[in-house]
Amino acid sequence: MTTRRTRPAPRPPEGTPPPAELARQARAVLADAVRIAHWAADGTSTGSAPLAARTLERASASLDLSPAQVRAGWDRARLAGLIELHGDTARPGWRLRAWDRDDSAVLRGWVALFDAWSLVHASPDGIETTAVAEAIEAVPQVLSLLQLSAGPVTVPALLDLLGQRVAELHEERCEVPYGPQEQPAPTAAEPADLNALLLDWALEGLASVGALTLGSGHATLTPLGNWAVWVKLEQICVAAQSPAGNIEQSAADMLLGCARLTPGPARAEYRAWLAARPVGSAVAELLAVARGEDALLRGLAFEALRVVGAPAEPVVRSVVTEAPLRPYALLWLAEYEGTDPDDAQDVLSREEATWLWVDTAAAVADHGETGLLVRHLDSAVQGTVPALLDEVRAVGHPRTVQVLVALAAAHPDPALAKAVRRAAFQVHTGGV
């Protein structure tokens, strides 16, 4: 028997309010969003989202808020997981149901809003999306400086740090010019001016979600913001000390590194990897992996997206129209909306469930053991192997032939293996 030294539970910085007080502050930040979520989910707005013009007027009059306040509160309610849209019908999210009694649910909802600050506060007009993305990627360093300073930090100091980080990003992407360069024509905004504009935007966005306060020429983290940044830094430190240590890997390499972990440790790795990246770019990287050819990574990417939670919901909803991702996205959305994971399969059509069966079989064939592929037969929605083979041939998955060949080679029943090989041959030749 060996003993393993466990890392003591970290303590938040001195002066951090207790969770109950942090939750109270989070409830105050999201008070309008909660009111709008209750109004939208109480049945008065069934069939129409509050952003529709007529419903917006009713919400504004009923809640005594301006239309702009209703729009802002609606966006915050969705990003914080307080409200869900099912078609045109608004329903309460699980966090709304737990809002008054569960401080941890409140804090998770606020952190989801904090992670999505760049969606809450629209970026300045006329700026290239690349520059905006670089600023978002540099913001964690700005927040770290604010957290470590434990007090006000001047805007020039934050601007200097932002400029340094953006320059590092250019170097990492090999965007540093070399050799003789033509002098560019004068532009309206030089890099320093652009960084200043983007820093102002980022600080205003973070202030709008309650993460910091702005003074005359300086910024200070609020207790909520200080706690959230500390939590994310702590996650990074834990990952750096963990045996898995996937925090610096690409999404694909991180997922492969987690493939043989049990669910608990895998989720811890996902959280640490996500904490080290802006949520938008992390979600985009995971979806890029999911669109690849490796079915194992496709499934693991959506497992990691489950850890992201609310900030990933709009993006996951947008890929429902992509056939290879549709079954995964539908299951993700069903579980996000509160469906028991054991019942989530019910949201899939027969064809979608069959496609997912083939995709999962491809993952097993590529990365799993022979016996696991044979046992995978039992998970098919069809009651018999002939019915499964008929529907697998019709579903059109690009890996159908390889899956059937691998299954035929693995199955101990000669008669069944022969039937599977025949089906593989028919798919390969286009026969029936």
Side-chain angles (χ1 to χ4, degrees):
M1 179 180 291
T2 60
T3 59
R4 181 178 178 183
R5 181 175 298 175
T6 58
R7 188 171 185 267
R11 294 180 177 272
E14 187 177 351
T16 301
E21 172 58 20
L22 290 171
R24 186 195 67 78
Q25 295 177 18
R27 287 185 175 99
V29 171
L30 284 161
D32 283 352
V34 170
R35 291 181 62 206
I36 291 167
H38 278 299
W39 181 89
D42 68 359
T44 60
S45 61
T46 300
S48 182
L51 291 184
R54 186 173 299 175
T55 313
L56 179 63
E57 293 174 4
R58 289 198 291 112
S60 179
S62 177
L63 299 170
D64 195 24
L65 296 172
S66 70
Q69 288 174 314
V70 173
R71 288 193 190 94
W74 172 254
D75 287 341
R76 289 165 180 247
R78 291 199 66 198
L79 291 169
L82 297 169
I83 199 74
E84 300 163 2
L85 276 185
H86 298 256
D88 286 335
T89 302
R91 296 180 187 171
W94 71 268
R95 284 192 181 123
L96 183 63
R97 294 190 289 268
W99 196 254
D100 294 329
R101 55 179 170 78
D102 189 340
D103 289 346
S104 64
V106 172
L107 291 174
R108 286 194 296 269
W110 181 83
V111 168
L113 179 68
F114 168 68
D115 286 339
W117 67 267
S118 60
L119 303 178
V120 173
H121 192 59
S123 58
D125 294 331
I127 297 181
E128 291 184 359
T129 55
T130 301
V132 173
E134 289 171 348
I136 294 171
E137 196 168 345
V139 160
Q141 281 71 29
V142 172
L143 290 169
S144 296
L145 176 59
L146 285 162
Q147 198 270 340
L148 293 171
S149 299
V153 179
T154 63
V155 170
L158 297 174
L159 180 58
D160 183 57
L161 178 60
L162 180 75
Q164 291 179 32
R165 181 57 185 144
V166 169
E168 289 172 0
L169 293 172
H170 288 171
E171 290 182 11
E172 292 169 5
R173 295 171 182 144
C174 301
E175 294 177 5
V176 178
Y178 60 91
Q181 302 290 320
E182 293 184 8
Q183 292 297 320
T187 58
E190 295 298 328
D193 297 332
L194 179 60
N195 286 341
L197 182 62
L198 288 168
L199 177 65
D200 287 344
W201 165 67
L203 294 179
E204 290 168 1
L206 290 162
S208 73
V209 298
L212 55 79
T213 57
L214 298 175
S216 179
H218 65 267
T220 310
L221 285 177
T222 63
L224 269 176
N226 188 66
W227 166 78
V229 176
W230 170 79
V231 167
K232 293 181 180 298
L233 290 173
E234 188 61 29
Q235 289 173 340
I236 293 171
C237 292
V238 169
Q241 296 174 15
S242 70
N246 292 297
I247 190 170
E248 295 182 358
Q249 303 296 325
S250 67
D253 290 340
M254 180 273 293
L255 293 171
L256 278 176
C258 294
R260 294 193 177 275
L261 297 177
T262 55
R267 283 192 294 269
E269 288 296 314
Y270 301 153
R271 290 190 187 97
W273 186 86
L274 291 162
R277 290 160 177 77
V279 66
S281 61
V283 170
E285 191 174 349
L286 288 170
L287 280 177
V289 172
R291 291 187 175 102
E293 296 182 357
D294 194 322
L296 175 67
L297 294 187
R298 185 160 30 255
L300 292 175
F302 276 87
E303 288 299 320
L305 287 169
R306 284 176 171 82
V307 175
V308 178
E313 184 263 343
V315 182
V316 172
R317 198 173 293 280
S318 72
V319 303
V320 166
T321 56
E322 299 181 30
L325 304 186
R326 179 175 173 81
Y328 294 95
L330 291 175
L331 291 175
W332 190 99
L333 291 166
E335 293 179 28
Y336 172 74
E337 292 164 359
T339 303
D340 189 296
D342 293 336
D343 300 328
Q345 291 278 346
D346 294 341
V347 305
L348 301 181
S349 69
R350 181 96 163 193
E351 183 178 2
E352 290 159 355
T354 303
W355 196 100
L356 183 61
W357 185 91
V358 179
D359 208 48
T360 306
V364 174
D366 290 342
H367 301 276
E369 300 175 355
T370 299
L372 187 58
L373 184 60
V374 174
R375 291 195 296 274
H376 185 55
L377 271 173
D378 296 334
S379 67
V381 295
Q382 293 79 9
T384 66
V385 171
L388 170 65
L389 294 178
D390 286 344
E391 294 185 33
V392 162
R393 284 181 294 185
V395 81
H397 193 289
R399 294 291 304 278
T400 298
V401 173
Q402 294 95 321
V403 164
L404 293 178
V405 169
L407 180 59
H411 207 284
D413 183 335
L416 190 148
K418 181 178 179 180
V420 174
R421 278 195 299 273
R422 184 185 304 115
F425 177 77
Q426 289 171 340
V427 174
H428 179 63
T429 59
V432 293

